[in-house]
Amino acid sequence: MSTALSSGGSAAAGAMPAKTYVSIGQIKPLGAAPELPSTGGGCGTSGGEGKASCGTSDGPDDMPQEVWDKVKNHPCYSEEAHHHYARMHVAVAPACNIQCNYCNRKYDCSNESRPGVVSQKLTPEQAVKKVVAVASEIPQMTVLGVAGPGDALANPAKTFDTFRMLQEQAPDIKLCLSTNGLALPDQVDEICKYNVDHVTITINMVDPAVGEKIYPWIFWNHKRVTGYEAAKILHERQMLGLEMLTARGVLTKINSVLIPGINDEHLIEVNREVKKRGAFLHNIMPLISEAEHGTVFGLTGQRGPTASELKAVQDACMGGANLMRHCRQCRADAVGLLGEDRSEEFTLDKLEQMEVVYDLDKRKSYQDKVEVERQAQQAAKHEALAAAASAAGVDDDMKVLVAVATKGGGRVNEHFGHVTEFQVFEVSAAQALFVGHRRVDLYCQGGHGDDEQLPSVVNAINDCHAVLVAKIGACPRDELLAAGVEPVDQYVGEFIEKAALEWFNDYRGRIASGAITHQPRGDAQIRQGAFTGGLAEAA
Ligand code: CLF
Ligand code: SF4
C-alpha cells in the first residue's frame, strides 16, 4: 500500500497553478497516453487500451478472469450486462460531509442519482428486508449499491450494517457503494472487510483551482473548510482513497460531472490521473441543472452539456481510462434494470404484505437462462460484424448514430410511443457501440399519440440517422422523416447490435447505389431529470 500511496501526485497536483480551460468545442483527443505506471487491474492491463468502454468487452478474453468474475453481471461495470442484469439502491445514507454546487440536499445525491426525491429513507434492517424481497422477485438483480441520498461513507455505520446483514442473508448479491471520497481513506479496511468489490468515487477535478468552483465547502476535522483549501483536501483524499483501493484489489469507477466552462477539458486530465492510479472505469455524466432544483448551479444559470458536447469529451478521453457511457444517473432508491425504476413496487407498506422466499437455486437457474440469452446476443453481434466488415463500403470510415427503442434483453422490442428512454449506438463497419441514452416524455398517452410531445422526442434523437422501433404510427413516422431521422421497424425482436449493423449495411448500400445521399446530423438535447415533488430529509 505504501508504494501506491507514495506514487501519488496528490500533493503536487494540489500545488498546481490555476489554469484556464478551453471550451468543449476546442477539445482535442487525448491521443497517445503519456507513460504511466501499470494499473492495478482491469482492462487497462490487458488490452483495454483504446477501447471505448469496458462495457463493450466480450468476455474473459479482455481482462483477467478474476476481474471478469466481478464485472460480468454488474450492470454498471459491464455495458453488455446492463441489458440483462439489474441493480438496486437502498437509501440508508442521508448525511453528507461536503457541498457540491450541483446538489440540493433536500433532494438527492447527484453523484449517483438524478435529482429526484428518495421516497423513503430506510434503516439498515428495513433496507436488508427490501433487498431480500427484491432479490426474490427480480432474480436478475445482482448488485446492491448504497448511493445516498447523501454520501455512503459519511454514514459508515448505516452503510456497513446494511452490508453485514445482507451478506448473511443473501450472500450472492454483490455489494457496491458510491462516495465523494473525503472519508474514503479511513474506510478502506471496512470496505475490504465486507467484500465490497465495487466502489465509485465522484472526482470532478484534479486541480483545486477547478475544484473551488464546484465545492463551496467540506466538513473536515470537525470544522467547515472553504475555497481552495477545501478543494485541495478533497482532491488529496480522493487520490489517496483511489490508490488505497487499487492496492487492495477493489474495482473502482470514477464518476465525473461534466460542467461546461468549468471542468470540460479538465476531465481529460482527470481521466489520465485516475487511470494512472488504477481506476477501472471513468463515467463522465452531464450536469443536471435547472433553477427549480434549487442548486447553486441551477440558480446561477450554469447549463449542462448538449449530447454532442458530452460525446466530444468522452471521445477525447478514449485511449485513457476505459469509459462508461451507459450510466442513467439513477436515484438513490432505484430498483431494476438501468433506465427502469421499479422502486414503487417495493415500498415499505407493500413489503409488509409480500411473501418473501429467498431461493438461491431459483435465482441461479434464472441467471443461467440470462447467460444463454446474453451469449446468443454476442454471437449475433459477431456474425453481423463479420457481415458488415466484408460488405463493400462506400465509406468505410463512416460512423452514424442510431437510436433504439427497447424494453430490455438487448433487443429491439419497444413501440415508439411507449419509449421513455432511447438507447443510442454508434454504428460503423467495425462496431455497434453503446454511446448513450436519451430520456423522453411518453409520446403515447392513453392509447393516443400526443403530438405536442413529438418535437421534444425528435430533439432528443436529432443527432441520429435512424431509430429502430418495434412499431410506430404514421404521424411520428412522418415527423421523424421530415427531421431527417429514418424510422425503421423491420427488426422487431432482433438483438440490437445485429439490427443496427444490418440497417447500417443497408444504408451504405443505398448510398452506394445512389438512392440516397449521406447527410450529417445535428446536435441533440439531453433531457434534464424531473422533480417529482416531496422533500427528502436534509443532511
Ligand atoms: Fe449503484 Fe453506482 Fe453501484 Fe451502479 S449505479 S452504486 S455503480 S450499483 Fe450505475 Fe446508476 Fe450510473 Fe451509478 S447507472 S448512477 S453508475
Ligand atoms: Fe450532494 Fe452527493 Fe455532493 Fe454530497 S457528495 S453534496 S450528497 S452531490
Side-chain angles (χ1 to χ4, degrees):
M1 189 188 307
S2 58
T3 311
L5 300 188
S6 60
S7 74
S10 310
M16 274 193 258
K19 292 178 188 168
T20 306
Y21 295 98
V22 301
S23 68
I24 292 171
Q26 296 168 274
I27 284 175
K28 300 281 186 304
L30 189 59
E35 234 174 82
L36 302 169
S38 64
T39 57
C43 298
T45 53
S46 58
E49 282 275 318
K51 285 179 14 175
S53 162
C54 276
T56 59
S57 58
D58 293 338
D61 293 348
D62 297 308
M63 63 189 82
Q65 182 66 43
E66 67 274 17
V67 177
W68 173 244
D69 288 340
K70 287 180 184 173
V71 304
K72 67 183 177 190
N73 59 4
H74 192 308
C76 303
Y77 281 67
S78 163
E79 187 277 317
E80 187 204 311
H82 102 280
H83 298 284
H84 306 282
Y85 290 101
R87 55 76 186 99
M88 70 177 288
H89 291 160
V90 283
V92 295
C96 191
N97 47 7
I98 70 172
Q99 178 64 57
C100 305
N101 278 335
Y102 48 75
C103 176
N104 179 344
R105 303 278 173 79
K106 289 175 186 159
Y107 298 97
D108 216 353
C109 177
S110 302
N111 276 346
E112 284 286 325
S113 315
R114 71 178 166 81
V117 294
V118 175
S119 308
Q120 289 171 317
K121 279 197 276 68
L122 304 178
T123 64
E125 289 75 13
Q126 289 170 324
V128 170
K129 189 171 177 185
K130 180 173 176 177
V131 179
V132 172
V134 172
S136 306
E137 287 290 309
I138 308 178
Q140 70 273 41
M141 193 282 286
T142 49
V143 179
L144 167 71
V146 174
D151 183 80
L153 298 182
N155 303 262
K158 289 174 182 159
T159 296
F160 292 117
D161 276 356
T162 304
F163 288 159
R164 178 180 49 74
M165 287 189 280
L166 186 67
Q167 266 193 335
E168 288 159 11
Q169 294 189 40
D172 64 321
I173 293 179
K174 285 184 184 355
L175 304 177
C176 195
L177 66 82
S178 134
T179 177
N180 59 48
L182 184 64
L184 177 57
D186 303 330
Q187 300 295 341
V188 168
D189 283 344
E190 287 292 283
I191 287 169
C192 294
K193 180 174 160 189
Y194 293 108
N195 300 318
V196 180
D197 274 340
H198 303 82
V199 172
T200 293
I201 315 169
T202 297
I203 300 180
N204 297 317
M205 54 84 198
V206 289
D207 178 351
V210 176
E212 67 179 329
K213 297 176 190 160
I214 302 170
Y215 306 104
W217 57 260
I218 65 170
F219 198 71
W220 177 243
N221 284 342
H222 311 291
K223 62 177 194 293
R224 193 175 280 218
V225 183
T226 60
Y228 186 94
E229 181 62 16
K232 182 169 180 291
I233 293 167
L234 180 62
H235 162 63
E236 290 171 358
R237 299 286 291 174
Q238 289 175 336
M239 296 298 114
L240 177 60
L242 171 58
E243 290 163 358
M244 291 172 76
L245 289 174
T246 298
R248 302 282 287 267
V250 178
L251 288 187
T252 48
K253 173 169 68 61
I254 306 306
N255 279 2
S256 297
V257 180
L258 171 52
I259 310 162
I262 291 185
N263 70 350
D264 31 21
E265 168 154 308
H266 182 62
L267 289 183
I268 300 172
E269 196 174 335
V270 171
N271 182 281
R272 190 179 286 137
E273 290 299 319
V274 299
K275 175 175 179 168
K276 208 192 282 185
R277 291 170 175 82
F280 182 75
L281 270 182
H282 189 195
N283 171 26
I284 299 177
M285 314 180 292
L287 172 71
I288 292 174
S289 173
E290 294 285 342
E292 63 264 33
H293 298 173
T295 64
V296 170
F297 282 154
L299 294 171
T300 56
Q302 171 63 54
R303 70 173 180 91
T306 66
S308 70
E309 287 172 335
L310 176 64
K311 189 166 182 297
V313 175
Q314 291 171 330
D315 288 350
C317 288
M318 284 174 69
N322 290 291
L323 295 178
M324 173 190 189
R325 302 197 197 216
H326 61 283
C327 175
R328 303 305 203 275
Q329 291 171 276
C330 26
R331 331 166 25 115
D333 56 3
V335 174
L337 292 170
L338 302 191
E340 75 173 3
D341 186 10
R342 296 181 59 179
S343 55
E344 279 302 303
E345 295 171 39
F346 301 96
T347 53
L348 287 177
D349 51 335
K350 287 181 183 152
L351 288 181
E352 287 302 326
Q353 286 151 32
M354 285 172 68
E355 195 182 325
V356 174
V357 183
Y358 192 77
D359 185 338
L360 251 180
D361 289 340
K362 188 175 145 209
R363 281 175 55 77
K364 169 91 175 54
S365 102
Y366 188 92
Q367 290 176 22
D368 287 347
K369 286 187 198 139
V370 170
E371 279 306 308
V372 170
E373 179 77 351
R374 177 180 178 166
Q375 278 161 23
Q377 181 180 7
Q378 282 303 300
K381 176 177 164 183
H382 286 303
E383 210 175 284
L385 273 174
S390 63
V394 286
D395 174 0
D396 285 337
D397 294 330
M398 183 194 294
K399 288 180 180 173
V400 300
L401 297 183
V402 172
V404 180
T406 178
K407 53 187 169 194
R411 294 181 186 265
V412 182
N413 54 10
E414 186 60 286
H415 293 201
F416 178 85
H418 298 165
V419 170
T420 52
E421 170 197 291
F422 288 99
Q423 295 187 0
V424 176
F425 286 72
E426 186 172 74
V427 190
S428 68
Q431 64 178 19
L433 177 70
F434 186 106
V435 291
H437 71 283
R438 306 285 160 69
R439 286 187 186 139
V440 293
D441 290 321
L442 263 187
Y443 168 66
C444 188
Q445 307 278 353
H448 300 286
D450 179 353
D451 293 340
E452 285 185 12
Q453 299 285 13
L454 259 186
S456 72
V457 179
V458 174
N459 274 345
I461 56 173
N462 190 44
D463 50 351
C464 297
H465 276 77
V467 55
L468 310 187
V469 298
K471 199 171 179 187
I472 186 166
C475 182
R477 179 185 292 276
D478 291 346
E479 188 116 355
L480 285 162
L481 281 170
V485 184
E486 182 182 332
V488 181
D489 61 1
Q490 65 258 43
Y491 298 106
V492 185
E494 296 278 6
F495 286 119
I496 293 170
E497 292 94 338
K498 177 172 185 278
L501 286 160
E502 285 185 7
W503 170 83
F504 182 69
N505 267 354
D506 177 65
Y507 180 70
R508 286 199 303 169
R510 282 182 280 151
I511 296 169
S513 71
I516 57 169
T517 314
H518 177 64
Q519 301 286 348
R521 299 291 310 147
D523 202 350
Q525 295 291 323
I526 293 176
R527 184 176 174 278
Q528 299 282 303
F531 277 97
T532 52
L535 298 180
E537 195 175 292

